[in-house]
Amino acid sequence: MEINLTVIIKSKPEYREELKVILVDLTKNSKKEAACLQYDLHHNIQDPNVFILHEVWKNNEGLDYHKEQSYFLKFNQVSELYLEEKITVFETSRIG
Protein backbone atom coordinates (compact mmCIF):
# COMPACT_ATOMS: atom_id res chain seq x y z
CA MET A 1 0.00 0.00 0.00
CA GLU A 2 1.34 3.44 -0.95
CA ILE A 3 2.36 5.81 1.81
CA ASN A 4 1.80 9.54 1.22
CA LEU A 5 3.59 12.02 3.47
CA THR A 6 3.50 15.78 3.68
CA VAL A 7 6.32 17.12 5.84
CA ILE A 8 6.49 20.71 7.10
CA ILE A 9 9.95 21.95 8.08
CA LYS A 10 10.60 25.41 9.55
CA SER A 11 14.18 26.62 9.51
CA LYS A 12 15.78 29.11 11.82
CA PRO A 13 16.37 32.17 9.60
CA GLU A 14 20.14 32.09 10.08
CA TYR A 15 20.33 28.45 8.86
CA ARG A 16 17.84 28.65 5.97
CA GLU A 17 20.42 28.38 3.18
CA GLU A 18 22.37 25.57 4.84
CA LEU A 19 19.16 23.63 5.41
CA LYS A 20 18.05 24.22 1.83
CA VAL A 21 21.28 22.63 0.53
CA ILE A 22 20.71 19.58 2.73
CA LEU A 23 17.06 19.28 1.68
CA VAL A 24 17.92 19.54 -2.03
CA ASP A 25 20.50 16.76 -1.57
CA LEU A 26 17.98 14.69 0.41
CA THR A 27 15.42 15.12 -2.37
CA LYS A 28 17.86 14.26 -5.16
CA ASN A 29 19.05 11.07 -3.45
CA SER A 30 15.62 9.99 -2.23
CA LYS A 31 14.25 10.05 -5.78
CA LYS A 32 16.82 7.38 -6.71
CA GLU A 33 15.44 4.87 -4.20
CA ALA A 34 13.47 1.97 -5.70
CA ALA A 35 10.51 2.45 -3.34
CA CYS A 36 10.27 6.21 -3.93
CA LEU A 37 7.35 7.00 -6.23
CA GLN A 38 7.46 10.77 -5.69
CA TYR A 39 9.59 13.15 -3.64
CA ASP A 40 9.06 16.87 -4.11
CA LEU A 41 10.57 19.77 -2.20
CA HIS A 42 8.60 23.02 -2.02
CA HIS A 43 9.33 26.41 -0.51
CA ASN A 44 6.65 28.55 1.12
CA ILE A 45 6.39 31.85 -0.76
CA GLN A 46 4.93 33.75 2.21
CA ASP A 47 7.51 32.46 4.69
CA PRO A 48 10.93 31.65 3.18
CA ASN A 49 11.90 29.67 6.30
CA VAL A 50 9.26 27.01 5.63
CA PHE A 51 9.98 24.00 3.41
CA ILE A 52 7.43 21.35 2.46
CA LEU A 53 8.19 17.82 1.33
CA HIS A 54 5.61 15.74 -0.48
CA GLU A 55 6.62 12.08 -0.51
CA VAL A 56 4.99 8.97 -1.94
CA TRP A 57 6.47 5.59 -1.02
CA LYS A 58 5.64 2.19 -2.47
CA ASN A 59 5.40 0.55 0.97
CA ASN A 60 6.54 0.65 4.61
CA GLU A 61 9.65 -1.38 3.87
CA GLY A 62 10.80 1.22 1.37
CA LEU A 63 10.14 4.05 3.81
CA ASP A 64 12.04 2.19 6.52
CA TYR A 65 14.97 1.71 4.13
CA HIS A 66 14.88 5.45 3.32
CA LYS A 67 15.20 6.33 7.01
CA GLU A 68 18.46 4.34 7.20
CA GLN A 69 20.21 6.21 4.38
CA SER A 70 23.15 8.56 5.03
CA TYR A 71 21.44 11.62 3.51
CA PHE A 72 18.35 11.10 5.70
CA LEU A 73 20.53 10.59 8.78
CA LYS A 74 22.49 13.76 7.92
CA PHE A 75 19.25 15.74 7.84
CA ASN A 76 18.26 14.31 11.22
CA GLN A 77 21.64 15.23 12.70
CA VAL A 78 21.38 18.91 11.83
CA SER A 79 17.66 19.28 12.42
CA GLU A 80 17.96 20.18 16.10
CA LEU A 81 20.40 22.99 15.33
CA TYR A 82 18.81 24.26 12.09
CA LEU A 83 15.10 24.01 12.85
CA GLU A 84 12.89 26.61 14.49
CA GLU A 85 10.34 24.03 15.63
CA LYS A 86 9.59 20.33 15.56
CA ILE A 87 8.95 18.83 12.12
CA THR A 88 5.29 18.21 11.33
CA VAL A 89 4.52 15.02 9.38
CA PHE A 90 1.09 14.26 7.94
CA GLU A 91 0.34 10.79 6.57
CA THR A 92 -2.38 11.36 4.02
CA SER A 93 -4.53 9.52 1.51
CA ARG A 94 -5.45 10.87 -1.88
CA ILE A 95 -9.17 11.63 -2.18
CA GLY A 96 -9.29 13.37 -5.51
Side-chain angles (χ1 to χ4, degrees):
M1 184 169 110
E2 285 185 5
I3 300 163
N4 292 271
L5 301 175
T6 300
V7 182
I8 312 297
I9 303 162
K10 184 160 187 181
S11 173
K12 292 178 182 173
E14 64 269 25
Y15 291 113
R16 179 177 55 237
E17 291 306 314
E18 291 92 334
L19 181 61
K20 181 179 176 182
V21 168
I22 290 169
L23 289 171
V24 168
D25 183 63
L26 174 65
T27 301
K28 179 184 73 165
N29 285 301
S30 298
K31 288 180 177 184
K32 296 175 185 175
E33 294 178 38
C36 180
L37 303 177
Q38 184 176 349
Y39 205 100
D40 298 321
L41 173 61
H42 297 264
H43 194 230
N44 185 323
I45 293 170
Q46 288 80 25
D47 184 347
N49 297 315
V50 175
F51 298 93
I52 299 109
L53 291 169
H54 176 69
E55 308 174 27
V56 182
W57 296 94
K58 195 178 294 185
N59 52 37
N60 275 316
E61 293 78 17
L63 181 56
D64 290 343
Y65 174 82
H66 169 68
K67 292 177 181 178
E68 297 170 354
Q69 302 312 298
S70 61
Y71 39 90
F72 182 85
L73 296 173
K74 180 179 180 181
F75 168 70
N76 277 341
Q77 282 180 327
V78 300
S79 64
E80 188 172 317
L81 175 63
Y82 286 7
L83 299 186
E84 187 73 36
E85 56 192 49
K86 188 175 184 235
I87 296 170
T88 302
V89 178
F90 297 100
E91 187 169 346
T92 63
S93 61
R94 185 183 309 252
I95 57 173

XYZ file of all heavy atoms in Angstrom:
807
model
N 0.831 -1.175 0.000
C 0.000 0.000 0.000
C 0.885 1.252 0.000
O 1.843 1.352 0.751
C -0.901 -0.003 1.232
C -1.874 1.138 1.255
S -3.109 0.926 2.538
C -2.586 2.209 3.653
N 0.570 2.207 -0.867
C 1.336 3.443 -0.948
C 1.227 4.248 0.339
O 0.194 4.262 0.996
C 0.821 4.314 -2.096
C 1.237 3.827 -3.447
C 0.812 4.781 -4.549
O 0.278 5.874 -4.267
O 1.020 4.414 -5.710
N 2.315 4.925 0.649
C 2.358 5.814 1.810
C 2.599 7.224 1.289
O 3.584 7.483 0.586
C 3.479 5.394 2.774
C 3.242 3.975 3.258
C 3.590 6.369 3.929
C 4.447 3.335 3.859
N 1.685 8.133 1.614
C 1.795 9.542 1.219
C 2.121 10.367 2.452
O 1.406 10.287 3.454
C 0.463 10.032 0.638
C 0.149 9.376 -0.681
O 0.532 9.875 -1.722
N -0.548 8.253 -0.643
N 3.180 11.164 2.351
C 3.587 12.019 3.465
C 3.702 13.463 3.009
O 4.216 13.736 1.915
C 4.938 11.576 4.021
C 5.062 10.149 4.554
C 6.504 9.872 4.950
C 4.122 9.935 5.719
N 3.246 14.363 3.846
C 3.504 15.785 3.683
C 4.254 16.219 4.939
O 3.779 15.996 6.055
C 2.202 16.584 3.529
O 1.512 16.099 2.369
C 2.486 18.060 3.371
N 5.427 16.783 4.735
C 6.322 17.115 5.840
C 6.559 18.622 5.829
O 6.966 19.186 4.807
C 7.662 16.352 5.706
C 8.580 16.657 6.866
C 7.417 14.847 5.556
N 6.298 19.271 6.960
C 6.492 20.710 7.101
C 7.732 20.946 7.961
O 7.819 20.456 9.091
C 5.266 21.388 7.765
C 3.959 20.947 7.114
C 5.445 22.911 7.774
C 3.803 21.301 5.679
N 8.668 21.713 7.421
C 9.950 21.950 8.076
C 10.164 23.456 8.170
O 10.149 24.149 7.147
C 11.093 21.311 7.263
C 10.833 19.807 7.082
C 12.438 21.579 7.911
C 11.636 19.188 5.973
N 10.376 23.968 9.369
C 10.601 25.407 9.547
C 12.026 25.640 10.041
O 12.404 25.248 11.139
C 9.598 26.010 10.525
C 9.765 27.513 10.627
C 8.568 28.217 11.178
C 8.779 29.719 11.070
N 7.685 30.478 11.593
N 12.779 26.328 9.224
C 14.181 26.616 9.509
C 14.318 27.851 10.400
O 13.519 28.779 10.319
C 14.899 26.876 8.186
O 16.211 27.318 8.411
N 15.371 27.866 11.186
C 15.781 29.111 11.818
C 16.299 30.005 10.685
O 16.991 29.527 9.776
C 16.898 28.862 12.835
C 16.452 28.081 14.048
C 17.614 27.840 14.993
C 17.177 26.999 16.188
N 18.337 26.622 17.027
N 15.967 31.289 10.715
C 16.370 32.171 9.598
C 17.867 32.121 9.280
O 18.260 32.110 8.118
C 15.944 33.566 10.064
C 14.852 33.324 11.052
C 15.182 32.015 11.728
N 18.688 32.055 10.304
C 20.136 32.089 10.082
C 20.690 30.798 9.468
O 21.830 30.765 9.021
C 20.878 32.419 11.393
C 20.717 31.375 12.480
C 19.539 31.616 13.422
O 18.558 32.285 13.029
O 19.611 31.124 14.557
N 19.882 29.733 9.430
C 20.325 28.454 8.861
C 19.530 28.058 7.618
O 19.686 26.965 7.102
C 20.206 27.334 9.898
C 21.186 27.472 11.029
C 20.746 27.749 12.321
C 22.550 27.319 10.812
C 21.641 27.879 13.368
C 23.460 27.447 11.862
C 22.992 27.728 13.129
O 23.880 27.857 14.160
N 18.713 28.969 7.103
C 17.842 28.646 5.972
C 18.621 28.113 4.763
O 18.262 27.091 4.182
C 17.012 29.857 5.566
C 16.109 29.590 4.381
C 15.235 30.772 4.010
N 16.009 31.977 3.766
C 15.836 33.127 4.418
N 14.900 33.257 5.324
N 16.590 34.167 4.150
N 19.672 28.794 4.374
C 20.415 28.384 3.179
C 21.140 27.048 3.375
O 21.181 26.220 2.460
C 21.379 29.480 2.727
C 20.668 30.705 2.189
C 19.682 30.403 1.064
O 20.031 29.645 0.132
O 18.543 30.934 1.113
N 21.704 26.847 4.554
C 22.371 25.572 4.841
C 21.361 24.424 4.810
O 21.627 23.358 4.252
C 23.065 25.604 6.207
C 24.268 26.516 6.259
C 23.934 27.934 6.709
O 22.785 28.391 6.535
O 24.845 28.587 7.238
N 20.198 24.660 5.399
C 19.161 23.630 5.408
C 18.665 23.360 3.995
O 18.455 22.200 3.622
C 18.000 24.040 6.317
C 16.871 23.025 6.428
C 17.369 21.705 7.011
C 15.729 23.593 7.257
N 18.506 24.389 3.206
C 18.051 24.223 1.827
C 18.998 23.302 1.052
O 18.556 22.414 0.323
C 17.945 25.583 1.144
C 17.457 25.512 -0.275
C 17.355 26.922 -0.856
C 16.972 26.908 -2.307
N 16.920 28.260 -2.866
N 20.290 23.484 1.208
C 21.276 22.635 0.534
C 21.091 21.176 0.947
O 21.104 20.268 0.106
C 22.713 23.125 0.826
C 23.755 22.107 0.381
C 22.956 24.480 0.182
N 20.904 20.943 2.225
C 20.715 19.576 2.731
C 19.418 18.981 2.199
O 19.374 17.816 1.790
C 20.764 19.561 4.265
C 22.185 19.849 4.732
C 20.261 18.228 4.823
C 22.327 20.122 6.199
N 18.350 19.780 2.169
C 17.062 19.282 1.676
C 17.090 18.995 0.178
O 16.483 18.016 -0.284
C 15.949 20.272 2.005
C 15.576 20.372 3.483
C 14.621 21.537 3.706
C 14.967 19.068 3.978
N 17.784 19.804 -0.589
C 17.921 19.538 -2.026
C 18.676 18.234 -2.238
O 18.294 17.401 -3.076
C 18.601 20.729 -2.744
C 19.027 20.358 -4.161
C 17.665 21.929 -2.770
N 19.740 18.009 -1.480
C 20.496 16.762 -1.566
C 19.635 15.569 -1.140
O 19.646 14.520 -1.804
C 21.756 16.857 -0.696
C 22.623 15.627 -0.801
O 23.120 15.345 -1.905
O 22.776 14.926 0.231
N 18.893 15.734 -0.068
C 17.979 14.688 0.411
C 16.970 14.333 -0.677
O 16.718 13.154 -0.957
C 17.264 15.161 1.676
C 16.168 14.276 2.250
C 16.733 12.952 2.742
C 15.441 14.998 3.382
N 16.412 15.343 -1.318
C 15.423 15.124 -2.372
C 16.032 14.388 -3.558
O 15.477 13.407 -4.059
C 14.826 16.472 -2.822
O 14.215 17.096 -1.686
C 13.804 16.300 -3.914
N 17.180 14.864 -4.010
C 17.856 14.257 -5.162
C 18.148 12.779 -4.920
O 17.872 11.924 -5.765
C 19.153 15.018 -5.449
C 19.957 14.472 -6.608
C 21.265 15.216 -6.769
C 22.171 14.794 -5.630
N 23.557 15.088 -5.738
N 18.690 12.454 -3.754
C 19.048 11.070 -3.452
C 17.824 10.196 -3.172
O 17.800 9.028 -3.544
C 20.014 11.026 -2.274
C 21.396 11.462 -2.685
O 22.005 10.882 -3.558
N 21.879 12.526 -2.084
N 16.819 10.763 -2.538
C 15.618 9.991 -2.226
C 14.911 9.539 -3.492
O 14.380 8.428 -3.561
C 14.661 10.814 -1.359
O 15.273 11.145 -0.133
N 14.913 10.389 -4.515
C 14.254 10.051 -5.783
C 14.884 8.842 -6.462
O 14.246 8.206 -7.301
C 14.282 11.249 -6.726
C 13.355 12.361 -6.316
C 13.420 13.525 -7.297
C 12.428 14.600 -6.911
N 12.397 15.700 -7.884
N 16.116 8.518 -6.115
C 16.816 7.377 -6.709
C 16.440 6.048 -6.062
O 16.751 4.989 -6.605
C 18.329 7.573 -6.594
C 18.843 8.769 -7.364
C 20.331 8.962 -7.103
C 20.855 10.227 -7.757
N 22.269 10.476 -7.415
N 15.785 6.093 -4.913
C 15.441 4.865 -4.205
C 14.328 4.121 -4.941
O 13.377 4.728 -5.447
C 15.005 5.186 -2.775
C 16.121 5.756 -1.926
C 15.665 6.112 -0.522
O 14.848 5.370 0.044
O 16.119 7.147 0.001
N 14.434 2.800 -4.967
C 13.469 1.972 -5.702
C 12.037 2.155 -5.205
O 11.092 2.133 -5.998
C 13.888 0.506 -5.609
N 11.865 2.350 -3.912
C 10.512 2.455 -3.343
C 9.948 3.871 -3.394
O 8.790 4.083 -3.032
C 10.507 1.950 -1.902
N 10.733 4.818 -3.867
C 10.271 6.213 -3.931
C 9.482 6.422 -5.221
O 10.024 6.325 -6.318
C 11.461 7.162 -3.879
S 10.977 8.903 -3.957
N 8.204 6.724 -5.082
C 7.349 7.002 -6.227
C 7.295 8.495 -6.541
O 7.098 8.893 -7.677
C 5.939 6.459 -5.978
C 5.857 4.963 -5.679
C 4.422 4.554 -5.375
C 6.419 4.150 -6.836
N 7.462 9.311 -5.510
C 7.463 10.769 -5.686
C 8.138 11.398 -4.472
O 7.944 10.949 -3.339
C 6.028 11.290 -5.815
C 5.929 12.764 -6.081
C 4.487 13.215 -6.307
O 3.587 12.415 -6.466
N 4.285 14.517 -6.314
N 8.921 12.442 -4.721
C 9.594 13.148 -3.636
C 9.824 14.577 -4.111
O 10.696 14.840 -4.941
C 10.937 12.473 -3.301
C 11.425 12.710 -1.897
C 11.240 11.743 -0.914
C 12.068 13.890 -1.550
C 11.695 11.953 0.378
C 12.517 14.112 -0.265
C 12.331 13.134 0.690
O 12.778 13.342 1.982
N 9.004 15.488 -3.656
C 9.059 16.872 -4.110
C 9.352 17.807 -2.940
O 8.768 17.664 -1.869
C 7.730 17.292 -4.738
C 7.393 16.473 -5.968
O 8.310 16.173 -6.750
O 6.210 16.129 -6.142
N 10.227 18.761 -3.189
C 10.573 19.774 -2.205
C 9.965 21.099 -2.652
O 10.160 21.533 -3.790
C 12.098 19.912 -2.097
C 12.638 21.036 -1.224
C 12.201 20.874 0.233
C 14.159 21.085 -1.328
N 9.218 21.726 -1.748
C 8.595 23.016 -2.019
C 9.077 24.036 -0.990
O 9.512 23.684 0.097
C 7.066 22.907 -1.920
C 6.470 21.994 -2.928
N 5.956 22.449 -4.118
C 6.325 20.647 -2.934
C 5.504 21.413 -4.801
N 5.721 20.324 -4.113
N 8.933 25.300 -1.362
C 9.330 26.415 -0.513
C 8.112 27.307 -0.346
O 7.458 27.652 -1.328
C 10.461 27.160 -1.222
C 11.205 28.105 -0.379
N 11.443 29.383 -0.762
C 11.783 27.970 0.831
C 12.148 29.998 0.161
N 12.363 29.162 1.145
N 7.797 27.687 0.862
C 6.654 28.555 1.119
C 6.977 29.973 0.656
O 7.955 30.569 1.101
C 6.321 28.534 2.617
C 5.072 29.300 2.970
O 4.779 30.340 2.414
N 4.341 28.776 3.928
N 6.154 30.505 -0.220
C 6.394 31.846 -0.761
C 6.196 32.917 0.312
O 6.940 33.894 0.374
C 5.479 32.108 -1.971
C 5.885 31.178 -3.103
C 5.539 33.562 -2.410
C 4.929 31.152 -4.265
N 5.195 32.749 1.181
C 4.925 33.750 2.215
C 5.945 33.735 3.353
O 6.175 34.741 3.989
C 3.520 33.556 2.815
C 2.380 33.946 1.901
C 2.056 32.872 0.880
O 2.321 31.691 1.101
N 1.506 33.275 -0.245
N 6.523 32.571 3.617
C 7.512 32.456 4.694
C 8.705 31.664 4.166
O 8.657 30.443 4.078
C 6.907 31.753 5.914
C 7.863 31.685 7.094
O 9.076 31.943 6.924
O 7.396 31.347 8.198
N 9.786 32.332 3.793
C 10.933 31.649 3.183
C 11.645 30.665 4.100
O 12.496 29.907 3.641
C 11.861 32.804 2.787
C 11.469 33.928 3.675
C 10.001 33.769 3.955
N 11.286 30.631 5.367
C 11.901 29.674 6.296
C 11.156 28.352 6.351
O 11.573 27.449 7.065
C 11.965 30.285 7.698
C 12.847 31.511 7.731
O 13.930 31.525 7.179
N 12.358 32.565 8.349
N 10.069 28.236 5.604
C 9.264 27.010 5.631
C 9.473 26.218 4.342
O 9.312 26.743 3.232
C 7.762 27.326 5.823
C 6.927 26.053 5.730
C 7.535 28.014 7.164
N 9.819 24.948 4.514
C 9.977 24.003 3.408
C 8.920 22.918 3.570
O 8.563 22.543 4.692
C 11.364 23.365 3.436
C 12.480 24.361 3.262
C 13.081 24.937 4.370
C 12.920 24.717 2.006
C 14.115 25.855 4.228
C 13.954 25.639 1.850
C 14.550 26.207 2.960
N 8.446 22.405 2.442
C 7.430 21.348 2.456
C 7.918 20.219 1.563
O 8.315 20.453 0.415
C 6.062 21.864 1.957
C 5.548 22.990 2.860
C 5.036 20.741 1.915
C 5.576 24.320 2.221
N 7.896 19.020 2.105
C 8.194 17.823 1.328
C 6.894 17.075 1.076
O 6.094 16.910 1.994
C 9.151 16.898 2.088
C 10.578 17.380 2.266
C 11.311 16.485 3.255
C 11.307 17.400 0.933
N 6.716 16.636 -0.175
C 5.605 15.737 -0.484
C 6.248 14.441 -0.962
O 6.981 14.429 -1.952
C 4.682 16.305 -1.552
C 3.611 15.358 -1.939
N 2.587 15.023 -1.077
C 3.420 14.629 -3.044
C 1.810 14.140 -1.671
N 2.290 13.878 -2.856
N 5.980 13.368 -0.236
C 6.620 12.079 -0.511
C 5.556 11.015 -0.760
O 4.539 10.987 -0.074
C 7.460 11.631 0.687
C 8.438 12.664 1.195
C 9.136 12.225 2.476
O 9.273 11.006 2.710
O 9.531 13.109 3.250
N 5.831 10.138 -1.717
C 4.990 8.966 -1.937
C 5.931 7.763 -2.006
O 6.859 7.731 -2.826
C 4.151 9.062 -3.222
C 3.260 7.822 -3.370
C 3.309 10.336 -3.237
N 5.657 6.798 -1.129
C 6.474 5.591 -1.020
C 5.647 4.371 -1.393
O 4.465 4.292 -1.098
C 7.033 5.456 0.408
C 7.950 6.587 0.731
C 7.634 7.760 1.358
C 9.315 6.690 0.348
N 8.727 8.575 1.405
C 9.778 7.945 0.795
C 10.186 5.853 -0.307
C 11.079 8.373 0.593
C 11.484 6.272 -0.502
C 11.935 7.513 -0.055
N 6.308 3.409 -2.009
C 5.641 2.190 -2.467
C 5.077 1.386 -1.299
O 3.988 0.839 -1.384
C 6.650 1.335 -3.246
C 6.043 0.232 -4.067
C 7.091 -0.544 -4.835
C 7.729 0.334 -5.881
N 8.682 -0.394 -6.747
N 5.827 1.351 -0.184
C 5.405 0.547 0.970
C 6.213 0.947 2.208
O 7.140 1.752 2.125
C 5.572 -0.952 0.666
C 6.972 -1.292 0.172
O 7.960 -0.734 0.632
N 7.056 -2.197 -0.789
N 5.849 0.363 3.349
C 6.539 0.653 4.612
C 7.992 0.216 4.586
O 8.852 0.888 5.167
C 5.818 -0.038 5.781
C 4.670 0.787 6.301
O 4.788 1.989 6.467
N 3.543 0.142 6.558
N 8.274 -0.897 3.938
C 9.651 -1.384 3.874
C 10.544 -0.366 3.171
O 11.676 -0.116 3.601
C 9.723 -2.738 3.156
C 9.058 -3.879 3.908
C 7.532 -3.909 3.798
O 6.961 -3.251 2.894
O 6.904 -4.565 4.635
N 10.036 0.212 2.090
C 10.803 1.216 1.372
C 11.019 2.475 2.188
O 12.099 3.075 2.167
N 10.009 2.878 2.940
C 10.142 4.053 3.807
C 11.136 3.773 4.928
O 11.971 4.620 5.261
C 8.781 4.457 4.368
C 8.760 5.686 5.277
C 9.349 6.912 4.591
C 7.343 5.957 5.745
N 11.081 2.571 5.483
C 12.044 2.194 6.524
C 13.473 2.220 5.982
O 14.401 2.709 6.648
C 11.720 0.810 7.087
C 10.451 0.805 7.928
O 9.994 1.888 8.353
O 9.898 -0.296 8.144
N 13.661 1.699 4.774
C 14.975 1.715 4.130
C 15.454 3.158 3.954
O 16.619 3.484 4.221
C 14.893 1.009 2.771
C 16.153 1.087 1.963
C 17.205 0.211 2.189
C 16.294 2.047 0.954
C 18.377 0.295 1.433
C 17.452 2.139 0.205
C 18.487 1.261 0.451
O 19.645 1.350 -0.288
N 14.564 4.037 3.519
C 14.881 5.454 3.322
C 15.422 6.080 4.611
O 16.402 6.831 4.581
C 13.609 6.186 2.864
C 13.711 7.660 2.868
N 14.536 8.358 1.999
C 13.085 8.607 3.619
C 14.415 9.656 2.232
N 13.539 9.839 3.210
N 14.813 5.743 5.719
C 15.202 6.328 7.011
C 16.568 5.856 7.495
O 17.114 6.408 8.446
C 14.138 6.026 8.058
C 12.826 6.747 7.781
C 11.769 6.365 8.797
C 10.456 7.056 8.525
N 9.410 6.654 9.476
N 17.141 4.865 6.834
C 18.462 4.343 7.196
C 19.584 4.924 6.331
O 20.753 4.655 6.583
C 18.478 2.819 7.061
C 17.519 2.116 7.991
C 17.382 0.628 7.675
O 17.944 0.161 6.664
O 16.702 -0.056 8.458
N 19.219 5.707 5.327
C 20.214 6.208 4.375
C 20.999 7.392 4.939
O 20.487 8.173 5.732
C 19.535 6.588 3.061
C 18.787 5.444 2.407
C 19.623 4.179 2.347
O 20.686 4.148 1.717
N 19.160 3.130 3.016
N 22.241 7.536 4.488
C 23.146 8.560 5.033
C 22.599 9.971 4.856
O 22.739 10.805 5.761
C 24.523 8.452 4.385
O 24.430 8.656 2.982
N 21.968 10.270 3.745
C 21.440 11.619 3.507
C 20.249 11.920 4.409
O 20.058 13.066 4.818
C 21.088 11.839 2.028
C 20.450 10.662 1.340
C 19.082 10.496 1.335
C 21.237 9.710 0.704
C 18.498 9.404 0.717
C 20.672 8.623 0.076
C 19.301 8.478 0.083
O 18.725 7.381 -0.522
N 19.448 10.912 4.743
C 18.354 11.105 5.698
C 18.921 11.295 7.105
O 18.492 12.174 7.847
C 17.391 9.914 5.660
C 16.215 10.079 6.580
C 15.087 10.775 6.170
C 16.225 9.550 7.863
C 13.997 10.941 7.015
C 15.149 9.705 8.723
C 14.027 10.407 8.286
N 19.903 10.487 7.461
C 20.528 10.593 8.781
C 21.238 11.937 8.946
O 21.205 12.529 10.032
C 21.496 9.430 8.999
C 20.840 8.040 9.020
C 21.905 6.952 9.074
C 19.864 7.913 10.178
N 21.841 12.444 7.866
C 22.494 13.759 7.922
C 21.463 14.841 8.233
O 21.701 15.716 9.063
C 23.193 14.059 6.602
C 23.885 15.401 6.576
C 24.578 15.641 5.256
C 25.270 16.989 5.261
N 25.921 17.253 3.978
N 20.315 14.782 7.567
C 19.246 15.744 7.836
C 18.823 15.665 9.300
O 18.662 16.682 9.971
C 18.054 15.497 6.914
C 16.833 16.257 7.328
C 16.781 17.628 7.191
C 15.759 15.600 7.880
C 15.659 18.347 7.590
C 14.632 16.300 8.285
C 14.579 17.678 8.137
N 18.660 14.468 9.815
C 18.264 14.310 11.218
C 19.308 14.871 12.170
O 18.958 15.435 13.208
C 17.996 12.841 11.543
C 16.608 12.420 11.145
O 15.722 13.246 10.942
N 16.401 11.136 11.015
N 20.569 14.725 11.840
C 21.644 15.226 12.699
C 21.595 16.739 12.859
O 21.803 17.257 13.944
C 23.012 14.838 12.136
C 23.404 13.413 12.392
C 24.765 13.122 11.793
O 25.138 13.670 10.759
N 25.505 12.239 12.438
N 21.342 17.451 11.768
C 21.378 18.914 11.829
C 20.037 19.523 12.223
O 19.971 20.709 12.534
C 21.833 19.534 10.489
C 23.223 19.050 10.130
C 20.836 19.275 9.388
N 19.002 18.710 12.226
C 17.663 19.280 12.424
C 17.515 20.009 13.766
O 16.877 21.058 13.810
C 16.580 18.221 12.251
O 16.682 17.222 13.222
N 18.107 19.513 14.806
C 17.958 20.183 16.095
C 18.588 21.581 16.067
O 18.030 22.532 16.604
C 18.566 19.350 17.216
C 18.264 19.925 18.590
C 18.702 19.001 19.715
O 18.481 17.787 19.619
O 19.274 19.519 20.682
N 19.709 21.703 15.417
C 20.401 22.987 15.333
C 19.723 23.935 14.337
O 19.571 25.120 14.606
C 21.856 22.763 14.906
C 22.698 24.009 14.666
C 22.863 24.824 15.943
C 24.051 23.622 14.097
N 19.288 23.422 13.186
C 18.809 24.258 12.085
C 17.322 24.602 12.155
O 16.894 25.539 11.500
C 19.053 23.558 10.756
C 20.498 23.530 10.294
C 21.534 23.980 11.100
C 20.817 23.038 9.049
C 22.846 23.943 10.665
C 22.130 23.001 8.601
C 23.132 23.447 9.412
O 24.425 23.415 8.978
N 16.547 23.834 12.907
C 15.100 24.008 12.847
C 14.559 24.901 13.948
O 14.982 24.834 15.100
C 14.394 22.656 12.893
C 14.737 21.704 11.753
C 13.874 20.458 11.827
C 14.606 22.371 10.407
N 13.573 25.698 13.581
C 12.892 26.607 14.493
C 11.925 25.862 15.405
O 11.723 26.227 16.554
C 12.121 27.648 13.679
C 11.498 28.748 14.491
C 12.512 29.731 15.034
O 13.511 30.031 14.360
O 12.305 30.210 16.158
N 11.322 24.804 14.872
C 10.336 24.030 15.629
C 10.359 22.587 15.149
O 10.978 22.267 14.133
C 8.943 24.629 15.466
C 8.489 24.749 14.045
C 7.244 25.606 13.898
O 7.196 26.721 14.445
O 6.317 25.143 13.216
N 9.666 21.753 15.887
C 9.591 20.325 15.563
C 8.969 20.126 14.178
O 8.047 20.845 13.791
C 8.748 19.614 16.628
C 8.758 18.126 16.516
C 7.997 17.495 17.676
C 8.112 15.998 17.564
N 6.909 15.287 17.549
N 9.481 19.166 13.445
C 8.955 18.831 12.120
C 7.529 18.300 12.267
O 7.242 17.520 13.173
C 9.848 17.768 11.447
C 11.237 18.345 11.216
C 9.227 17.273 10.151
C 12.266 17.317 10.776
N 6.651 18.721 11.357
C 5.287 18.210 11.333
C 5.168 17.247 10.154
O 5.533 17.598 9.017
C 4.271 19.353 11.154
O 4.445 20.282 12.218
C 2.849 18.835 11.145
N 4.688 16.024 10.426
C 4.516 15.020 9.377
C 3.051 14.605 9.342
O 2.488 14.211 10.361
C 5.399 13.777 9.651
C 5.179 12.723 8.566
C 6.867 14.163 9.752
N 2.459 14.716 8.155
C 1.092 14.259 7.940
C 1.131 13.048 7.027
O 1.711 13.113 5.930
C 0.250 15.345 7.249
C 0.073 16.596 8.046
C 0.842 17.718 7.797
C -0.870 16.654 9.061
C 0.676 18.877 8.520
C -1.027 17.817 9.804
C -0.251 18.927 9.526
N 0.553 11.933 7.465
C 0.344 10.795 6.572
C -1.049 10.971 5.992
O -2.026 11.093 6.728
C 0.473 9.467 7.308
C 0.420 8.298 6.352
C 0.815 6.971 6.997
O 1.372 6.967 8.104
O 0.545 5.948 6.343
N -1.124 11.013 4.676
C -2.379 11.364 4.020
C -2.799 10.277 3.032
O -2.020 9.390 2.692
C -2.222 12.691 3.247
O -1.253 12.533 2.219
C -1.821 13.814 4.169
N -4.041 10.381 2.589
C -4.531 9.520 1.507
C -5.177 10.418 0.463
O -5.847 11.394 0.791
C -5.518 8.479 2.035
O -6.636 9.093 2.599
N -4.939 10.075 -0.772
C -5.455 10.869 -1.884
C -6.973 10.654 -1.972
O -7.443 9.517 -1.964
C -4.792 10.455 -3.192
C -5.173 11.303 -4.365
C -4.532 10.764 -5.635
N -3.108 10.558 -5.466
C -2.166 11.316 -6.012
N -2.517 12.334 -6.763
N -0.899 11.053 -5.819
N -7.722 11.752 -2.082
C -9.174 11.627 -2.179
C -9.702 12.246 -3.483
O -10.908 12.234 -3.721
C -9.900 12.266 -0.965
C -9.530 13.731 -0.816
C -9.586 11.486 0.294
C -10.337 14.447 0.247
N -8.826 12.776 -4.261
C -9.289 13.368 -5.507
C -8.181 13.557 -6.484
O -7.055 13.292 -6.264
